């Protein structure tokens, strides 16, 4: 209990220091364009929370893209990861394209997608392309770190390939799958936002950021960013908590 209180106090102190430094630097620069004041940013946050600028409609579209991208990435990455783990041909075949997608800059994929798709579809497409390799790698790693002693025991008792997968490999994959969920979910928020900023769909948080940047509304850019970061952080923590609960009930 004391450790939790100490940790909470440390985090609170860190936040206070952050806002104190922000306020001091903003006052020193005396330019709302370069670094808006804490007061002006929080006034904008309040305005957006009250529905200003159709904010919640923009947020709803972004959140829908995030959820769809997350579901598709998890399903696609899990399927390909299982295929690579079970079949050596699939592993060899997928190694290069997955490695390529893990290293290619997100900005390059977004710019190329602008030639192919409508603006509303680009964030979803790019997010799936950039995040499914994370789940693929997590599942594949689960196969690589299998318990050799259990596999030897299965060999002694003449387990079929299905029995080896069902009773040895599948339980070993669960922690890797759950950790992959957390990683993919956190990354999806960032990639969808980046895709929206560059593709500027009719509705989306990224579109709000881009519009405010064009109109030199620094306080609004800061406000929307802080709101987005808070929701992203909170949802990622909830996902991590969900994973922890599942691990504890095993």
């Amino acid at each position: 209990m004391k450790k939790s209180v100490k940790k909470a106090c440390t985090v609170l102190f860190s936040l206070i220091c952050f806002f104190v430094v922000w306020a001091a630097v903003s006052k020193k620069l005396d330019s709302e364009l370069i670094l808006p004041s804490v007061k002006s940013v929080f006034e904008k946050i309040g305005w957006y929370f009250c529905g200003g600028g159709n904010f919640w409609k923009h947020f709803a579209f972004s959140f829908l893209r995030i959820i769809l991208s997350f579901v598709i990435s998890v399903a696609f990455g899990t399927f390909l990861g299982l295929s690579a783990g079970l079949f050596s041909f699939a592993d060899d075949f997928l190694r290069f394209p997955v490695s390529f997608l893990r290293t290619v800059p997100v900005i390059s994929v977004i710019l190329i997608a602008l030639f192919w798709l409508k603006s509303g579809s680009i964030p979803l497409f790019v997010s799936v392309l950039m995040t499914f390799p994370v789940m693929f790698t997590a599942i594949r790693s689960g196969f690589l770190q299998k318990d050799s002693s259990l596999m030897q025991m299965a060999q002694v008792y003449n387990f079929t390939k299905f029995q080896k997968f069902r009773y040895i490999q599948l339980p070993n994959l669960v922690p890797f799958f759950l950790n992959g969920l957390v990683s993919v979910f956190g990354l999806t928020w960032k990639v969808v936002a980046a895709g929206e900023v560059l593709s500027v769909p009719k509705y989306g948080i990224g579109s709000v950021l881009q519009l405010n940047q064009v109109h030199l509304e620094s306080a609004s850019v800061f406000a929307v960013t802080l709101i987005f970061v808070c929701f992203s952080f909170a949802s990622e923590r909830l996902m991590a908590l969900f994973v922890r609960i599942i691990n504890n009930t095993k």
Side-chain angles (χ1 to χ4, degrees), residues 48 58 193-194 196-197 204-218 220-226 228:
Y48 281 121
H58 286 283
E196 289 177 345
V197 168
I205 292 296
S207 301
V208 177
L209 288 169
Q210 178 65 8
L211 180 64
N212 286 322
Q213 192 275 334
V214 170
H215 289 93
L216 304 179
E217 294 283 348
S218 296
S220 295
V221 173
F222 271 70
V224 174
T225 301
L226 285 176
F228 190 82

Side-chain angles (χ1 to χ4, degrees), residues 150-166:
L150 288 177
M151 295 302 291
Q152 288 174 0
M153 181 196 70
Q155 195 73 27
V156 170
Y157 286 97
N158 295 319
F159 275 28
T160 64
K161 286 186 176 181
F162 176 77
Q163 287 175 323
K164 289 178 183 178
F165 175 74
R166 171 64 181 84

Side-chain angles (χ1 to χ4, degrees), residues 4 39 66 72-73 88 113 125 128-129 139 163 201-202 233:
S4 300
K39 179 183 177 182
I66 289 165
I72 295 171
S73 294
S88 58
F125 170 77
V128 170
L129 213 59
I139 298 297
Q163 287 175 323
K202 185 176 181 181
F233 178 79

Side-chain angles (χ1 to χ4, degrees), residues 47-59 203-204 208 211:
W47 183 73
Y48 281 121
F49 261 95
C50 292
N54 279 330
F55 177 78
W56 293 114
K57 188 171 185 178
H58 286 283
F59 182 85
Y203 295 106
V208 177
L211 180 64

